[in-house]
Structure formats: C-alpha cells, structure tokens
Amino acid sequence: MKKIVIIGSGMAGGKLAEELTKQNSESLDITVIGEEPVGNYDRIKLSALLLDEDLENFWLNDLEWYQDQNITTYLGEKAVSVDKKSKKVLTDKNNTIDYDILVFATGSKPIIPKMSGTDLEEVNVLRNLRDLDKIKNLLKNKNDVLIIGGGLLGLELADVLLKIGKNLTISHLTATLMEVQLAPEPAKYLEKLLSQQGIRFIMNTYVTDIIKQADQKLLITYK
C-alpha cells in the first residue's frame, strides 16, 4: 500500500485528499498533517462568520469525514522537518510519519507590510479560525476599525464590518481599489459608492508606524 502524506489541511490539502479517496482507496494510505485542530473549511468565507456563526457550507470536510474515509490525521500539529533519505516527516509533537509520496499543500501566508507596531494586540491578520476568534473578541468593545489593503479580501471584510455597525477606514497602497482586477475608472466608481455607505479611504499611501498611545488608541503614520 502506497503511503501518501499531505502537509497542510487547508483548502488545497483537503481537496487533494478528497480526490485521492475517489481513486482506488484500497491501494492508498493517506495521512494529513495540519496546524489547525479542525477539519477543512472554506477560508474565503472567514469574514462572513463575523456576521453569521452558522454560515452554510463553511465546512468542506469535517473531522468525521476524514474518519469515514480512513484518512489518518495529525491535526493541531505542525510539520517541522522532513528526512528525504528515510522518507519521514517529524511534527512539533514528536510524531514521525513515514511516506512514499509527500505533498506540500501549505498555502500562502498573509503579506504584512514592513512597519512598526504589527505585534500589537489590536493589529491582526485574518487567515484562519484562530485569527477570527481574536478579531471577534477585539470588536466587542471597539467601534473604529482600520483595514490595510483595499483588495478583494479587504473589501469583503469591510462589507461585513459595515453591516455590524463599525466605523471603517480603508488604507490602500495604490491610487485605486482592486488595481489587479479593476481598471482605474470603475475602481474610482467603486470607491465613490463605498464612500457613500460611510467608509473612509486613505489612498496611495504607505503605513509606516502603528503606535499605541496613552489612551490605548492607535496612531497610524504614513508616508
């Protein structure tokens, strides 16, 4: 039986496991290693969970699905090293997993611009359920929110935060929103529509520092 180990339990790793189970499963021994102690979910819908905790179709493959498919899981563990000669993966919990085929499906990491203050408690990224829990707790007693990045994900998050009554400012590096997807004219029109909904924009600027003041509010500096 061929041993396939997938490092990464996100959307890519989950989809690969799903496709492999459609093949001759009797000849495959599938193992999934993932840092999060949960099944596979739709990361694109993370921001929507701020509005609806019972979001439909959020879970793609839950823990029960992995069990039903006889897939071995090491969830809540991080792969820390690979021995290519002996074909073994070591996790941060000192588990050693043998493989015949090893697949890295670790996905991407959020890009955090170089600036001071990114280690402050009030500064977060939204990449996984752990991030979401932190943000939900912070939002309980805060009304003013700054989103750095006016791309698709930033605007989706802004739409959700607007619906739950937060005061929003979006800071964007370039002169127009969603510059990868939109030409300047429709991007400006989108900015106008969102401004009419109450979102403030700081465009064509680069955040250099995030400073926590004595009153616990954050001061943002630009260049």
Side-chain angles (χ1 to χ4, degrees):
M1 184 176 289
K2 187 166 289 188
K3 296 180 179 179
I4 299 179
V5 174
I6 303 169
I7 298 178
S9 61
M11 294 179 72
K15 184 61 177 176
L16 175 58
E18 190 176 308
E19 291 299 319
L20 289 172
T21 59
K22 296 176 183 178
Q23 300 181 22
N24 185 3
S25 58
E26 293 182 359
S27 65
L28 299 177
D29 180 359
I30 304 170
T31 298
V32 174
I33 305 170
E35 288 187 60
E36 292 188 83
V38 294
N40 176 32
Y41 57 86
D42 189 346
R43 292 185 191 276
I44 298 171
K45 296 180 180 178
L46 268 175
S47 59
L49 281 183
L50 292 170
L51 196 61
D52 182 5
E53 292 185 356
D54 299 317
L55 194 64
E56 189 176 355
N57 298 324
F58 176 71
W59 292 100
L60 302 175
N61 304 117
D62 58 17
L63 293 175
E64 186 177 354
W65 179 86
Y66 284 105
Q67 293 171 359
D68 290 343
Q69 301 298 324
N70 294 317
I71 295 175
T72 302
T73 56
Y74 292 85
L75 300 179
E77 299 192 37
K78 183 179 180 180
V80 293
S81 66
V82 175
D83 187 331
K84 292 189 291 184
K85 285 187 176 180
S86 61
K87 292 190 173 182
K88 296 179 184 295
V89 178
L90 177 67
T91 75
D92 59 352
K93 293 186 178 179
N94 289 322
N95 284 309
T96 302
I97 303 108
D98 297 320
Y99 69 86
D100 296 308
I101 298 174
L102 179 63
V103 179
F104 286 88
T106 50
S108 61
K109 292 184 178 180
I111 298 173
I112 302 176
K114 291 183 179 180
M115 63 183 77
S116 67
T118 56
D119 57 341
L120 293 172
E121 180 186 2
E122 295 85 354
V123 181
N124 290 275
V125 298
L126 180 54
R127 177 61 183 166
N128 54 41
L129 286 171
R130 183 173 60 251
D131 299 332
L132 185 74
D133 287 341
K134 289 181 182 178
I135 291 171
K136 285 172 69 174
N137 288 330
L138 283 171
L139 289 174
K140 288 178 182 177
N141 58 1
K142 300 217 172 25
N143 291 317
D144 299 314
V145 181
L146 170 68
I147 297 174
I148 299 177
L152 183 59
L153 295 179
L155 295 182
E156 285 180 346
L157 177 59
D159 178 63
V160 171
L161 292 176
L162 197 64
K163 288 176 180 175
I164 60 178
K166 301 302 177 181
N167 300 321
L168 287 178
T169 301
I170 295 178
S171 171
H172 195 52
L173 181 62
T174 65
T176 59
L177 298 172
M178 294 179 62
E179 69 280 0
V180 175
Q181 295 90 355
L182 296 177
E185 186 174 351
K188 283 295 183 184
Y189 181 69
L190 175 61
E191 182 184 341
K192 179 181 177 181
L193 290 178
L194 295 175
S195 296
Q196 291 172 352
Q197 295 180 32
I199 299 177
R200 178 179 174 232
F201 289 93
I202 304 173
M203 304 297 294
N204 207 26
T205 54
Y206 188 91
V207 177
T208 57
D209 301 280
I210 304 172
I211 303 166
K212 194 168 186 176
Q213 303 179 104
D215 60 2
Q216 301 300 304
K217 290 186 177 181
L218 299 184
L219 174 68
I220 314 297
T221 63
Y222 294 89
K223 70 173 181 180

